[in-house]
Amino acid sequence: MRIILPTNTSHIIKIIYFQAIERFERNLITFDERTSELRQTFLRTKLSSVIREMEQLIETQEEMWHDVKEDMESARQAGVTLLECIHPKQRDVHDEWYTPDIKASAAELKQALIQLEDMEKKFERFWKDHKAKTQYGLKVCLFEREMSQVCTLLQ
């Protein structure tokens, strides 16, 4: 069985690439909103004086962070794959298919990948700081419990 492609196949491929880039850019907006919401959620965190609650809080927030991080990594891999499809390294840049609009699309996608990487780095730094503060709160709880135990023993 032979598949007969229309004569404007390159045009169809370009449209598919443009749509894929638009989806990728929409995903970036979604990740930006999602990380902003998560950052606000983390900032509103009220530390507890109960050790088990603090441990659970750290665990829950770390799971939330990992979910976002994995989604961003998956999106990055999809973007890199798309870029390789649009602009393979082995493709001749003088190829008739490699038109200025394809070059512009590849550049736009590269820029979006840079934005995603920057977003990942910023969120990673925020998470490390937030986790350190929360863990410090847990250490304070542990210290208070130990001091209470020492005071009880001294009485």
Side-chain angles (χ1 to χ4, degrees), residues 18-50:
F18 294 143
Q19 290 172 339
I21 291 169
E22 285 176 356
R23 275 193 310 276
F24 185 79
E25 289 173 336
R26 282 193 305 271
N27 282 343
L28 277 183
I29 293 168
T30 301
F31 285 129
D32 189 41
E33 292 168 352
R34 193 169 164 198
T35 57
S36 291
E37 286 176 16
L38 204 52
R39 186 177 285 118
Q40 290 304 312
T41 300
F42 288 172
L43 289 173
R44 287 190 303 264
T45 299
K46 294 191 185 210
L47 301 182
S48 173
S49 59
V50 179

PDB file of all heavy atoms in Angstrom, residues 18-50:
ATOM      1  N   PHE A  18       4.205  24.944  13.748  1.00  0.00           N
ATOM      2  CA  PHE A  18       3.726  26.188  14.364  1.00  0.00           C
ATOM      3  C   PHE A  18       2.735  25.884  15.491  1.00  0.00           C
ATOM      4  O   PHE A  18       2.784  26.500  16.553  1.00  0.00           O
ATOM      5  CB  PHE A  18       3.063  27.109  13.329  1.00  0.00           C
ATOM      6  CG  PHE A  18       4.014  27.637  12.284  1.00  0.00           C
ATOM      7  CD1 PHE A  18       3.599  27.801  10.975  1.00  0.00           C
ATOM      8  CD2 PHE A  18       5.323  27.976  12.607  1.00  0.00           C
ATOM      9  CE1 PHE A  18       4.468  28.292  10.010  1.00  0.00           C
ATOM     10  CE2 PHE A  18       6.193  28.461  11.645  1.00  0.00           C
ATOM     11  CZ  PHE A  18       5.764  28.618  10.336  1.00  0.00           C
ATOM     12  N   GLN A  19       1.831  24.938  15.254  1.00  0.00           N
ATOM     13  CA  GLN A  19       0.864  24.567  16.289  1.00  0.00           C
ATOM     14  C   GLN A  19       1.558  23.949  17.498  1.00  0.00           C
ATOM     15  O   GLN A  19       1.187  24.226  18.640  1.00  0.00           O
ATOM     16  CB  GLN A  19      -0.171  23.592  15.721  1.00  0.00           C
ATOM     17  CG  GLN A  19      -1.117  24.233  14.737  1.00  0.00           C
ATOM     18  CD  GLN A  19      -2.020  23.220  14.041  1.00  0.00           C
ATOM     19  OE1 GLN A  19      -1.717  22.024  13.985  1.00  0.00           O
ATOM     20  NE2 GLN A  19      -3.131  23.706  13.487  1.00  0.00           N
ATOM     21  N   ALA A  20       2.562  23.137  17.243  1.00  0.00           N
ATOM     22  CA  ALA A  20       3.306  22.513  18.348  1.00  0.00           C
ATOM     23  C   ALA A  20       4.050  23.573  19.161  1.00  0.00           C
ATOM     24  O   ALA A  20       4.083  23.508  20.396  1.00  0.00           O
ATOM     25  CB  ALA A  20       4.286  21.477  17.805  1.00  0.00           C
ATOM     26  N   ILE A  21       4.605  24.561  18.493  1.00  0.00           N
ATOM     27  CA  ILE A  21       5.298  25.645  19.199  1.00  0.00           C
ATOM     28  C   ILE A  21       4.305  26.448  20.029  1.00  0.00           C
ATOM     29  O   ILE A  21       4.589  26.805  21.176  1.00  0.00           O
ATOM     30  CB  ILE A  21       6.060  26.546  18.209  1.00  0.00           C
ATOM     31  CG1 ILE A  21       7.240  25.767  17.604  1.00  0.00           C
ATOM     32  CG2 ILE A  21       6.556  27.819  18.886  1.00  0.00           C
ATOM     33  CD1 ILE A  21       7.900  26.462  16.436  1.00  0.00           C
ATOM     34  N   GLU A  22       3.135  26.723  19.473  1.00  0.00           N
ATOM     35  CA  GLU A  22       2.106  27.445  20.224  1.00  0.00           C
ATOM     36  C   GLU A  22       1.680  26.665  21.465  1.00  0.00           C
ATOM     37  O   GLU A  22       1.512  27.236  22.538  1.00  0.00           O
ATOM     38  CB  GLU A  22       0.888  27.717  19.334  1.00  0.00           C
ATOM     39  CG  GLU A  22       1.114  28.816  18.326  1.00  0.00           C
ATOM     40  CD  GLU A  22      -0.073  29.007  17.389  1.00  0.00           C
ATOM     41  OE1 GLU A  22      -1.058  28.235  17.475  1.00  0.00           O
ATOM     42  OE2 GLU A  22      -0.012  29.926  16.562  1.00  0.00           O
ATOM     43  N   ARG A  23       1.519  25.346  21.337  1.00  0.00           N
ATOM     44  CA  ARG A  23       1.180  24.516  22.501  1.00  0.00           C
ATOM     45  C   ARG A  23       2.290  24.581  23.550  1.00  0.00           C
ATOM     46  O   ARG A  23       2.018  24.684  24.746  1.00  0.00           O
ATOM     47  CB  ARG A  23       0.955  23.054  22.079  1.00  0.00           C
ATOM     48  CG  ARG A  23      -0.426  22.746  21.608  1.00  0.00           C
ATOM     49  CD  ARG A  23      -0.680  21.246  21.513  1.00  0.00           C
ATOM     50  NE  ARG A  23       0.327  20.499  20.784  1.00  0.00           N
ATOM     51  CZ  ARG A  23       0.362  20.354  19.459  1.00  0.00           C
ATOM     52  NH1 ARG A  23      -0.570  20.906  18.716  1.00  0.00           N
ATOM     53  NH2 ARG A  23       1.308  19.652  18.887  1.00  0.00           N
ATOM     54  N   PHE A  24       3.521  24.524  23.091  1.00  0.00           N
ATOM     55  CA  PHE A  24       4.656  24.598  24.012  1.00  0.00           C
ATOM     56  C   PHE A  24       4.652  25.929  24.752  1.00  0.00           C
ATOM     57  O   PHE A  24       4.845  25.977  25.964  1.00  0.00           O
ATOM     58  CB  PHE A  24       5.969  24.410  23.246  1.00  0.00           C
ATOM     59  CG  PHE A  24       7.171  24.365  24.133  1.00  0.00           C
ATOM     60  CD1 PHE A  24       7.492  23.214  24.829  1.00  0.00           C
ATOM     61  CD2 PHE A  24       7.976  25.480  24.291  1.00  0.00           C
ATOM     62  CE1 PHE A  24       8.604  23.165  25.668  1.00  0.00           C
ATOM     63  CE2 PHE A  24       9.078  25.448  25.123  1.00  0.00           C
ATOM     64  CZ  PHE A  24       9.392  24.289  25.806  1.00  0.00           C
ATOM     65  N   GLU A  25       4.402  27.008  24.042  1.00  0.00           N
ATOM     66  CA  GLU A  25       4.360  28.333  24.677  1.00  0.00           C
ATOM     67  C   GLU A  25       3.189  28.442  25.655  1.00  0.00           C
ATOM     68  O   GLU A  25       3.317  29.068  26.706  1.00  0.00           O
ATOM     69  CB  GLU A  25       4.299  29.426  23.614  1.00  0.00           C
ATOM     70  CG  GLU A  25       5.619  29.571  22.872  1.00  0.00           C
ATOM     71  CD  GLU A  25       5.559  30.534  21.702  1.00  0.00           C
ATOM     72  OE1 GLU A  25       4.454  30.769  21.159  1.00  0.00           O
ATOM     73  OE2 GLU A  25       6.632  31.050  21.341  1.00  0.00           O
ATOM     74  N   ARG A  26       2.048  27.840  25.328  1.00  0.00           N
ATOM     75  CA  ARG A  26       0.923  27.823  26.276  1.00  0.00           C
ATOM     76  C   ARG A  26       1.290  27.031  27.527  1.00  0.00           C
ATOM     77  O   ARG A  26       0.911  27.399  28.639  1.00  0.00           O
ATOM     78  CB  ARG A  26      -0.339  27.249  25.617  1.00  0.00           C
ATOM     79  CG  ARG A  26      -1.052  28.232  24.701  1.00  0.00           C
ATOM     80  CD  ARG A  26      -2.446  27.754  24.318  1.00  0.00           C
ATOM     81  NE  ARG A  26      -2.497  26.434  23.725  1.00  0.00           N
ATOM     82  CZ  ARG A  26      -2.381  26.183  22.409  1.00  0.00           C
ATOM     83  NH1 ARG A  26      -2.218  27.175  21.560  1.00  0.00           N
ATOM     84  NH2 ARG A  26      -2.453  24.942  21.954  1.00  0.00           N
ATOM     85  N   ASN A  27       2.036  25.943  27.341  1.00  0.00           N
ATOM     86  CA  ASN A  27       2.508  25.171  28.491  1.00  0.00           C
ATOM     87  C   ASN A  27       3.412  26.023  29.379  1.00  0.00           C
ATOM     88  O   ASN A  27       3.363  25.917  30.608  1.00  0.00           O
ATOM     89  CB  ASN A  27       3.262  23.913  28.051  1.00  0.00           C
ATOM     90  CG  ASN A  27       2.336  22.812  27.620  1.00  0.00           C
ATOM     91  OD1 ASN A  27       1.142  22.833  27.912  1.00  0.00           O
ATOM     92  ND2 ASN A  27       2.870  21.841  26.910  1.00  0.00           N
ATOM     93  N   LEU A  28       4.233  26.857  28.769  1.00  0.00           N
ATOM     94  CA  LEU A  28       5.094  27.751  29.553  1.00  0.00           C
ATOM     95  C   LEU A  28       4.259  28.680  30.418  1.00  0.00           C
ATOM     96  O   LEU A  28       4.576  28.889  31.597  1.00  0.00           O
ATOM     97  CB  LEU A  28       5.980  28.607  28.636  1.00  0.00           C
ATOM     98  CG  LEU A  28       7.251  27.992  28.115  1.00  0.00           C
ATOM     99  CD1 LEU A  28       8.022  29.024  27.299  1.00  0.00           C
ATOM    100  CD2 LEU A  28       8.110  27.450  29.214  1.00  0.00           C
ATOM    101  N   ILE A  29       3.215  29.229  29.855  1.00  0.00           N
ATOM    102  CA  ILE A  29       2.329  30.116  30.611  1.00  0.00           C
ATOM    103  C   ILE A  29       1.690  29.344  31.757  1.00  0.00           C
ATOM    104  O   ILE A  29       1.618  29.834  32.890  1.00  0.00           O
ATOM    105  CB  ILE A  29       1.260  30.739  29.678  1.00  0.00           C
ATOM    106  CG1 ILE A  29       1.934  31.695  28.691  1.00  0.00           C
ATOM    107  CG2 ILE A  29       0.186  31.450  30.481  1.00  0.00           C
ATOM    108  CD1 ILE A  29       1.041  32.143  27.546  1.00  0.00           C
ATOM    109  N   THR A  30       1.259  28.119  31.482  1.00  0.00           N
ATOM    110  CA  THR A  30       0.656  27.283  32.519  1.00  0.00           C
ATOM    111  C   THR A  30       1.657  26.993  33.632  1.00  0.00           C
ATOM    112  O   THR A  30       1.319  27.075  34.815  1.00  0.00           O
ATOM    113  CB  THR A  30       0.147  25.951  31.912  1.00  0.00           C
ATOM    114  OG1 THR A  30      -0.805  26.258  30.897  1.00  0.00           O
ATOM    115  CG2 THR A  30      -0.480  25.069  32.969  1.00  0.00           C
ATOM    116  N   PHE A  31       2.898  26.679  33.272  1.00  0.00           N
ATOM    117  CA  PHE A  31       3.925  26.415  34.283  1.00  0.00           C
ATOM    118  C   PHE A  31       4.212  27.659  35.106  1.00  0.00           C
ATOM    119  O   PHE A  31       4.406  27.572  36.318  1.00  0.00           O
ATOM    120  CB  PHE A  31       5.223  25.911  33.656  1.00  0.00           C
ATOM    121  CG  PHE A  31       5.154  24.496  33.195  1.00  0.00           C
ATOM    122  CD1 PHE A  31       5.544  24.152  31.924  1.00  0.00           C
ATOM    123  CD2 PHE A  31       4.694  23.488  34.033  1.00  0.00           C
ATOM    124  CE1 PHE A  31       5.488  22.844  31.490  1.00  0.00           C
ATOM    125  CE2 PHE A  31       4.627  22.178  33.605  1.00  0.00           C
ATOM    126  CZ  PHE A  31       5.023  21.854  32.323  1.00  0.00           C
ATOM    127  N   ASP A  32       4.236  28.796  34.456  1.00  0.00           N
ATOM    128  CA  ASP A  32       4.479  30.045  35.178  1.00  0.00           C
ATOM    129  C   ASP A  32       3.373  30.288  36.194  1.00  0.00           C
ATOM    130  O   ASP A  32       3.629  30.621  37.353  1.00  0.00           O
ATOM    131  CB  ASP A  32       4.579  31.211  34.189  1.00  0.00           C
ATOM    132  CG  ASP A  32       5.037  32.484  34.861  1.00  0.00           C
ATOM    133  OD1 ASP A  32       5.948  32.421  35.725  1.00  0.00           O
ATOM    134  OD2 ASP A  32       4.507  33.559  34.521  1.00  0.00           O
ATOM    135  N   GLU A  33       2.119  30.089  35.777  1.00  0.00           N
ATOM    136  CA  GLU A  33       0.981  30.252  36.696  1.00  0.00           C
ATOM    137  C   GLU A  33       1.039  29.225  37.821  1.00  0.00           C
ATOM    138  O   GLU A  33       0.807  29.547  38.987  1.00  0.00           O
ATOM    139  CB  GLU A  33      -0.330  30.122  35.926  1.00  0.00           C
ATOM    140  CG  GLU A  33      -0.595  31.254  34.962  1.00  0.00           C
ATOM    141  CD  GLU A  33      -1.738  30.974  34.005  1.00  0.00           C
ATOM    142  OE1 GLU A  33      -2.259  29.829  33.975  1.00  0.00           O
ATOM    143  OE2 GLU A  33      -2.117  31.904  33.263  1.00  0.00           O
ATOM    144  N   ARG A  34       1.353  28.001  37.449  1.00  0.00           N
ATOM    145  CA  ARG A  34       1.399  26.921  38.437  1.00  0.00           C
ATOM    146  C   ARG A  34       2.504  27.151  39.472  1.00  0.00           C
ATOM    147  O   ARG A  34       2.276  26.967  40.670  1.00  0.00           O
ATOM    148  CB  ARG A  34       1.642  25.606  37.704  1.00  0.00           C
ATOM    149  CG  ARG A  34       1.421  24.385  38.530  1.00  0.00           C
ATOM    150  CD  ARG A  34       1.430  23.161  37.635  1.00  0.00           C
ATOM    151  NE  ARG A  34       1.606  21.956  38.419  1.00  0.00           N
ATOM    152  CZ  ARG A  34       1.976  20.816  37.913  1.00  0.00           C
ATOM    153  NH1 ARG A  34       2.210  20.712  36.617  1.00  0.00           N
ATOM    154  NH2 ARG A  34       2.132  19.763  38.687  1.00  0.00           N
ATOM    155  N   THR A  35       3.677  27.571  39.025  1.00  0.00           N
ATOM    156  CA  THR A  35       4.759  27.827  39.975  1.00  0.00           C
ATOM    157  C   THR A  35       4.452  29.037  40.840  1.00  0.00           C
ATOM    158  O   THR A  35       4.786  29.046  42.023  1.00  0.00           O
ATOM    159  CB  THR A  35       6.124  28.002  39.280  1.00  0.00           C
ATOM    160  OG1 THR A  35       6.036  29.056  38.317  1.00  0.00           O
ATOM    161  CG2 THR A  35       6.582  26.728  38.617  1.00  0.00           C
ATOM    162  N   SER A  36       3.779  30.030  40.284  1.00  0.00           N
ATOM    163  CA  SER A  36       3.393  31.201  41.078  1.00  0.00           C
ATOM    164  C   SER A  36       2.398  30.801  42.172  1.00  0.00           C
ATOM    165  O   SER A  36       2.528  31.232  43.319  1.00  0.00           O
ATOM    166  CB  SER A  36       2.763  32.273  40.195  1.00  0.00           C
ATOM    167  OG  SER A  36       3.727  32.836  39.347  1.00  0.00           O
ATOM    168  N   GLU A  37       1.417  29.983  41.805  1.00  0.00           N
ATOM    169  CA  GLU A  37       0.436  29.520  42.793  1.00  0.00           C
ATOM    170  C   GLU A  37       1.110  28.684  43.876  1.00  0.00           C
ATOM    171  O   GLU A  37       0.823  28.854  45.066  1.00  0.00           O
ATOM    172  CB  GLU A  37      -0.647  28.677  42.109  1.00  0.00           C
ATOM    173  CG  GLU A  37      -1.631  29.465  41.287  1.00  0.00           C
ATOM    174  CD  GLU A  37      -2.619  28.562  40.559  1.00  0.00           C
ATOM    175  OE1 GLU A  37      -2.743  27.364  40.909  1.00  0.00           O
ATOM    176  OE2 GLU A  37      -3.264  29.059  39.622  1.00  0.00           O
ATOM    177  N   LEU A  38       2.000  27.801  43.458  1.00  0.00           N
ATOM    178  CA  LEU A  38       2.693  26.953  44.418  1.00  0.00           C
ATOM    179  C   LEU A  38       3.587  27.778  45.339  1.00  0.00           C
ATOM    180  O   LEU A  38       3.640  27.550  46.545  1.00  0.00           O
ATOM    181  CB  LEU A  38       3.513  25.896  43.679  1.00  0.00           C
ATOM    182  CG  LEU A  38       3.835  24.625  44.420  1.00  0.00           C
ATOM    183  CD1 LEU A  38       2.602  23.977  45.024  1.00  0.00           C
ATOM    184  CD2 LEU A  38       4.533  23.646  43.486  1.00  0.00           C
ATOM    185  N   ARG A  39       4.245  28.765  44.759  1.00  0.00           N
ATOM    186  CA  ARG A  39       5.091  29.659  45.558  1.00  0.00           C
ATOM    187  C   ARG A  39       4.244  30.374  46.613  1.00  0.00           C
ATOM    188  O   ARG A  39       4.629  30.457  47.776  1.00  0.00           O
ATOM    189  CB  ARG A  39       5.777  30.668  44.637  1.00  0.00           C
ATOM    190  CG  ARG A  39       6.782  31.549  45.331  1.00  0.00           C
ATOM    191  CD  ARG A  39       7.489  32.476  44.356  1.00  0.00           C
ATOM    192  NE  ARG A  39       8.467  31.735  43.570  1.00  0.00           N
ATOM    193  CZ  ARG A  39       8.432  31.593  42.251  1.00  0.00           C
ATOM    194  NH1 ARG A  39       7.472  32.149  41.539  1.00  0.00           N
ATOM    195  NH2 ARG A  39       9.363  30.910  41.621  1.00  0.00           N
ATOM    196  N   GLN A  40       3.064  30.861  46.213  1.00  0.00           N
ATOM    197  CA  GLN A  40       2.171  31.538  47.159  1.00  0.00           C
ATOM    198  C   GLN A  40       1.681  30.571  48.236  1.00  0.00           C
ATOM    199  O   GLN A  40       1.604  30.932  49.414  1.00  0.00           O
ATOM    200  CB  GLN A  40       0.984  32.160  46.422  1.00  0.00           C
ATOM    201  CG  GLN A  40       1.353  33.354  45.569  1.00  0.00           C
ATOM    202  CD  GLN A  40       2.046  34.433  46.364  1.00  0.00           C
ATOM    203  OE1 GLN A  40       1.595  34.814  47.440  1.00  0.00           O
ATOM    204  NE2 GLN A  40       3.166  34.915  45.846  1.00  0.00           N
ATOM    205  N   THR A  41       1.354  29.361  47.821  1.00  0.00           N
ATOM    206  CA  THR A  41       0.929  28.343  48.788  1.00  0.00           C
ATOM    207  C   THR A  41       2.036  28.077  49.795  1.00  0.00           C
ATOM    208  O   THR A  41       1.794  28.028  51.003  1.00  0.00           O
ATOM    209  CB  THR A  41       0.554  27.028  48.061  1.00  0.00           C
ATOM    210  OG1 THR A  41      -0.520  27.304  47.156  1.00  0.00           O
ATOM    211  CG2 THR A  41       0.152  25.948  49.039  1.00  0.00           C
ATOM    212  N   PHE A  42       3.239  27.926  49.317  1.00  0.00           N
ATOM    213  CA  PHE A  42       4.373  27.667  50.200  1.00  0.00           C
ATOM    214  C   PHE A  42       4.639  28.852  51.131  1.00  0.00           C
ATOM    215  O   PHE A  42       4.947  28.668  52.304  1.00  0.00           O
ATOM    216  CB  PHE A  42       5.634  27.344  49.408  1.00  0.00           C
ATOM    217  CG  PHE A  42       5.625  25.987  48.733  1.00  0.00           C
ATOM    218  CD1 PHE A  42       6.635  25.640  47.860  1.00  0.00           C
ATOM    219  CD2 PHE A  42       4.616  25.066  48.957  1.00  0.00           C
ATOM    220  CE1 PHE A  42       6.654  24.398  47.245  1.00  0.00           C
ATOM    221  CE2 PHE A  42       4.614  23.818  48.341  1.00  0.00           C
ATOM    222  CZ  PHE A  42       5.642  23.488  47.481  1.00  0.00           C
ATOM    223  N   LEU A  43       4.504  30.058  50.595  1.00  0.00           N
ATOM    224  CA  LEU A  43       4.755  31.248  51.422  1.00  0.00           C
ATOM    225  C   LEU A  43       3.703  31.423  52.511  1.00  0.00           C
ATOM    226  O   LEU A  43       3.984  31.994  53.560  1.00  0.00           O
ATOM    227  CB  LEU A  43       4.826  32.502  50.548  1.00  0.00           C
ATOM    228  CG  LEU A  43       6.070  32.616  49.661  1.00  0.00           C
ATOM    229  CD1 LEU A  43       5.938  33.800  48.722  1.00  0.00           C
ATOM    230  CD2 LEU A  43       7.335  32.720  50.499  1.00  0.00           C
ATOM    231  N   ARG A  44       2.482  30.949  52.260  1.00  0.00           N
ATOM    232  CA  ARG A  44       1.416  31.056  53.256  1.00  0.00           C
ATOM    233  C   ARG A  44       1.470  29.926  54.285  1.00  0.00           C
ATOM    234  O   ARG A  44       0.628  29.864  55.183  1.00  0.00           O
ATOM    235  CB  ARG A  44       0.046  31.047  52.572  1.00  0.00           C
ATOM    236  CG  ARG A  44      -0.284  32.334  51.840  1.00  0.00           C
ATOM    237  CD  ARG A  44      -1.732  32.366  51.403  1.00  0.00           C
ATOM    238  NE  ARG A  44      -2.093  31.245  50.558  1.00  0.00           N
ATOM    239  CZ  ARG A  44      -2.105  31.263  49.223  1.00  0.00           C
ATOM    240  NH1 ARG A  44      -1.766  32.355  48.580  1.00  0.00           N
ATOM    241  NH2 ARG A  44      -2.455  30.188  48.531  1.00  0.00           N
ATOM    242  N   THR A  45       2.450  29.070  54.165  1.00  0.00           N
ATOM    243  CA  THR A  45       2.569  27.931  55.069  1.00  0.00           C
ATOM    244  C   THR A  45       2.729  28.403  56.504  1.00  0.00           C
ATOM    245  O   THR A  45       3.578  29.237  56.804  1.00  0.00           O
ATOM    246  CB  THR A  45       3.796  27.069  54.688  1.00  0.00           C
ATOM    247  OG1 THR A  45       3.617  26.588  53.370  1.00  0.00           O
ATOM    248  CG2 THR A  45       3.974  25.907  55.638  1.00  0.00           C
ATOM    249  N   LYS A  46       1.898  27.853  57.361  1.00  0.00           N
ATOM    250  CA  LYS A  46       2.015  28.148  58.789  1.00  0.00           C
ATOM    251  C   LYS A  46       2.728  26.975  59.434  1.00  0.00           C
ATOM    252  O   LYS A  46       2.299  25.825  59.313  1.00  0.00           O
ATOM    253  CB  LYS A  46       0.638  28.350  59.407  1.00  0.00           C
ATOM    254  CG  LYS A  46      -0.036  29.582  58.840  1.00  0.00           C
ATOM    255  CD  LYS A  46      -1.256  29.953  59.603  1.00  0.00           C
ATOM    256  CE  LYS A  46      -1.867  31.101  58.848  1.00  0.00           C
ATOM    257  NZ  LYS A  46      -2.566  32.040  59.446  1.00  0.00           N
ATOM    258  N   LEU A  47       3.830  27.291  60.075  1.00  0.00           N
ATOM    259  CA  LEU A  47       4.600  26.241  60.726  1.00  0.00           C
ATOM    260  C   LEU A  47       3.890  25.807  61.997  1.00  0.00           C
ATOM    261  O   LEU A  47       3.309  26.611  62.704  1.00  0.00           O
ATOM    262  CB  LEU A  47       6.011  26.735  61.020  1.00  0.00           C
ATOM    263  CG  LEU A  47       6.822  27.189  59.801  1.00  0.00           C
ATOM    264  CD1 LEU A  47       8.209  27.616  60.221  1.00  0.00           C
ATOM    265  CD2 LEU A  47       6.886  26.097  58.753  1.00  0.00           C
ATOM    266  N   SER A  48       3.969  24.537  62.248  1.00  0.00           N
ATOM    267  CA  SER A  48       3.318  23.950  63.407  1.00  0.00           C
ATOM    268  C   SER A  48       4.365  23.699  64.485  1.00  0.00           C
ATOM    269  O   SER A  48       5.553  23.625  64.216  1.00  0.00           O
ATOM    270  CB  SER A  48       2.670  22.631  62.994  1.00  0.00           C
ATOM    271  OG  SER A  48       2.176  21.947  64.116  1.00  0.00           O
ATOM    272  N   SER A  49       3.901  23.552  65.697  1.00  0.00           N
ATOM    273  CA  SER A  49       4.818  23.195  66.781  1.00  0.00           C
ATOM    274  C   SER A  49       4.791  21.690  67.034  1.00  0.00           C
ATOM    275  O   SER A  49       5.496  21.190  67.900  1.00  0.00           O
ATOM    276  CB  SER A  49       4.451  23.954  68.066  1.00  0.00           C
ATOM    277  OG  SER A  49       3.130  23.625  68.433  1.00  0.00           O
ATOM    278  N   VAL A  50       3.987  20.989  66.234  1.00  0.00           N
ATOM    279  CA  VAL A  50       3.891  19.538  66.342  1.00  0.00           C
ATOM    280  C   VAL A  50       4.862  18.928  65.326  1.00  0.00           C
ATOM    281  O   VAL A  50       4.751  19.182  64.121  1.00  0.00           O
ATOM    282  CB  VAL A  50       2.447  19.049  66.086  1.00  0.00           C
ATOM    283  CG1 VAL A  50       2.360  17.539  66.165  1.00  0.00           C
ATOM    284  CG2 VAL A  50       1.481  19.723  67.048  1.00  0.00           C
TER     285      VAL A  50
END
